[in-house]
Amino acid sequence: MRTDPRVSADIAQAAHECLARMSHPDATNEERRAFEIWLAADLRHEEAYDRAITLWAALDTLERGDIDADLLEPRAQPTLW
């Protein structure tokens, strides 16, 4: 069975958002409990969360010189039209 790419992207995004929130020292017990419920709800959630952890760990190893200069510059807010 093929996985809908949109669902996979949504789960990946949620995993990164969870990782960001759970990594923050101000995360509340309620947020931690909601995260545990989300994680247990679907095996794909755990896989996506593990992948997010791996990606963030890899990003932590980058040096400033490893990143193209244009990616370090703040960008103007995009216009919709």
Side-chain angles (χ1 to χ4, degrees):
M1 181 167 111
R2 281 181 74 179
T3 303
D4 180 350
R6 176 121 175 111
V7 171
S8 295
D10 289 345
I11 291 172
Q13 180 175 342
H16 286 278
E17 290 171 0
C18 286
L19 181 54
R21 190 63 200 145
M22 294 301 99
S23 298
H24 197 280
D26 292 338
T28 66
N29 287 337
E30 184 177 307
E31 289 171 324
R32 292 185 187 288
R33 181 67 185 133
F35 164 68
E36 291 295 330
I37 291 168
W38 175 83
L39 196 62
D42 191 319
L43 290 175
R44 294 173 299 169
H45 295 177
E46 185 174 351
E47 180 181 346
Y49 191 73
D50 288 344
R51 291 180 68 148
I53 290 170
T54 300
L55 176 60
W56 284 36
L59 292 174
D60 281 342
T61 67
L62 291 175
E63 299 289 331
R64 190 169 180 86
D66 294 333
I67 303 169
D68 290 340
D70 65 321
L71 295 176
L72 296 173
E73 296 298 320
R75 294 184 180 202
Q77 290 294 327
T79 57
L80 297 177
W81 305 109

